Amino acid sequence: MDINIDNITNNTSNPIVQDIKEFLKTGVMPDRLKKKIDELPPYEVRLQQEIDKLNLNNKKSQLQKLLDYSNLGERFFEKNFKTYQVNNNNIKAFETAKKFISNYDIANKRGTGIIFYGPYGVGKTHLACSIANELIKMQKSVIFGSTIKLFGIIKKSYNNEIDENESKIISEFINCDVLIIDDLGKEKPSEWVLEKLYYIINERYEHNKPIIITTNFSENQLIDIFTVGKNKSSIEAIMSRLNEICLTVKIFDNDFRYKI
């Protein structure tokens, strides 16, 4: 089959193109073209470079998917350990959060989590978001939200507002690498919420899946808040499991959000 050399490229003024044409015509490689080829990295190196670029792009794509999956609001994307205001009152909580990340493999194996407990504005959510963002960088699946937000997602499935059904959503809450429940106790729960909360926490408890919780309330206060009618058994069972698998860290400090 004849090859029309003029169809190789329209850029006939390019000296390298001219050298390629001469090489194809004569079979003798011009020195300039040979030098250009010799300057190229070995094929294996170039191939690995392309693979690295592909992996990097895939990693960036995966990180974006994990960020979307996490339910982290836009305000919380930039919360990290570097921007956390450390002082004598919160340093234990800060170091506990950092240790959770550095020892994540152990925490994941044992199902060990953290409860950050303290008043409004002391940085509990900031620490929880810092943990979430670090885990996402490690390509771990994280779901973050208050009970209102998390169970609101379930309720949307009943009205076909989202494509997923209740079973699939709850399965994601149970099976993600780390579940982060922010502001536990902020709302008065219904029997339905308490039932779902117990099921999710119990499943993660039984399968050694870490849970991170932030709350303004003590254990006794949470029991009072989550007691529906005269039934304390469900919330007591929840707190019993959380006490077994979570380290509770108290934070007492001034409200960061009102600092100028």
Side-chain angles (χ1 to χ4, degrees):
M1 181 176 65
D2 293 333
I3 298 176
N4 188 345
I5 297 174
D6 290 331
N7 289 334
I8 293 176
T9 178
N10 292 325
N11 189 8
T12 56
S13 63
N14 189 323
I16 295 300
V17 172
Q18 297 302 319
D19 286 348
I20 291 172
K21 289 182 177 182
E22 182 180 342
F23 174 56
L24 291 174
K25 285 180 179 179
T26 65
V28 178
M29 184 178 294
D31 291 339
R32 179 173 52 192
L33 180 59
K34 187 176 185 304
K35 182 180 178 182
K36 195 72 176 178
I37 293 174
D38 289 341
E39 289 173 354
L40 290 173
Y43 171 76
E44 293 82 359
V45 174
R46 284 179 283 142
L47 179 61
Q48 187 59 52
Q49 288 172 344
E50 292 304 314
I51 292 173
D52 290 343
K53 288 180 184 177
L54 182 62
N55 288 338
L56 179 60
N57 290 335
N58 287 342
K59 184 176 181 179
K60 287 180 179 178
S61 175
Q62 181 66 14
L63 287 175
Q64 187 58 53
K65 288 178 182 178
L66 288 169
L67 276 171
D68 295 341
Y69 178 81
S70 71
N71 289 316
L72 276 171
E74 185 176 349
R75 178 184 293 273
F76 301 133
F77 282 162
E78 296 181 357
K79 299 288 186 183
N80 55 61
F81 291 124
K82 290 182 179 179
T83 59
Y84 189 75
Q85 301 178 41
V86 183
N87 57 46
N88 291 334
N89 294 321
N90 61 30
I91 190 169
K92 181 180 178 182
F94 177 77
E95 290 177 345
T96 300
K98 294 269 287 186
K99 189 174 181 180
F100 178 85
I101 293 298
S102 60
N103 295 333
Y104 172 74
D105 289 341
I106 296 174
N108 184 53
K109 184 176 181 180
R110 297 176 179 174
T112 306
I114 308 170
I115 298 174
F116 294 112
Y117 158 53
Y120 289 103
V122 296
K124 303 183 301 294
T125 297
H126 191 140
L127 284 177
C129 290
S130 299
I131 289 173
N133 283 316
E134 289 298 319
L135 289 170
I136 290 169
K137 290 177 186 177
M138 297 161 60
Q139 300 191 50
K140 305 300 178 183
S141 59
V142 181
I143 292 181
F144 176 100
S146 64
T147 49
I148 294 174
K149 184 174 182 179
L150 295 177
F151 293 111
I153 295 172
I154 297 174
K155 288 180 179 179
K156 285 182 179 180
S157 69
Y158 299 159
N159 301 322
N160 297 320
E161 293 181 42
I162 55 178
D163 294 333
E164 298 174 319
N165 58 34
E166 175 190 335
S167 177
K168 184 176 180 181
I169 294 168
I170 291 178
S171 178
E172 289 177 349
F173 292 170
I174 291 170
N175 295 312
C176 64
D177 291 322
V178 177
L179 176 65
I180 300 178
I181 302 176
D182 190 39
D183 272 342
L184 181 66
K186 191 174 182 179
E187 72 297 329
K188 185 70 176 178
S190 63
E191 289 186 9
W192 177 85
V193 168
L194 194 60
E195 176 190 339
K196 302 301 180 188
L197 184 63
Y198 171 78
Y199 178 69
I200 291 166
I201 289 178
N202 188 63
E203 286 293 306
R204 293 189 68 87
Y205 167 82
E206 291 185 354
H207 293 91
N208 292 329
K209 307 287 284 185
I211 302 172
I212 305 290
I213 289 175
T214 74
T215 183
N216 301 321
F217 304 102
S218 67
E219 179 180 347
N220 289 335
Q221 288 173 321
L222 285 172
I223 290 174
D224 289 340
I225 291 168
F226 280 89
T227 296
V228 179
K230 295 183 179 180
N231 178 20
K232 283 189 176 182
S233 59
S234 293
I235 184 57
E236 287 177 338
I238 289 171
M239 294 310 302
S240 174
R241 282 154 178 74
L242 291 176
N243 284 333
E244 185 174 340
I245 61 176
C246 292
L247 174 66
T248 299
V249 184
K250 295 182 180 180
I251 311 175
F252 295 101
D253 200 357
N254 295 324
D255 191 331
F256 291 162
R257 289 173 295 192
Y258 293 99
K259 289 183 178 180
I260 298 176

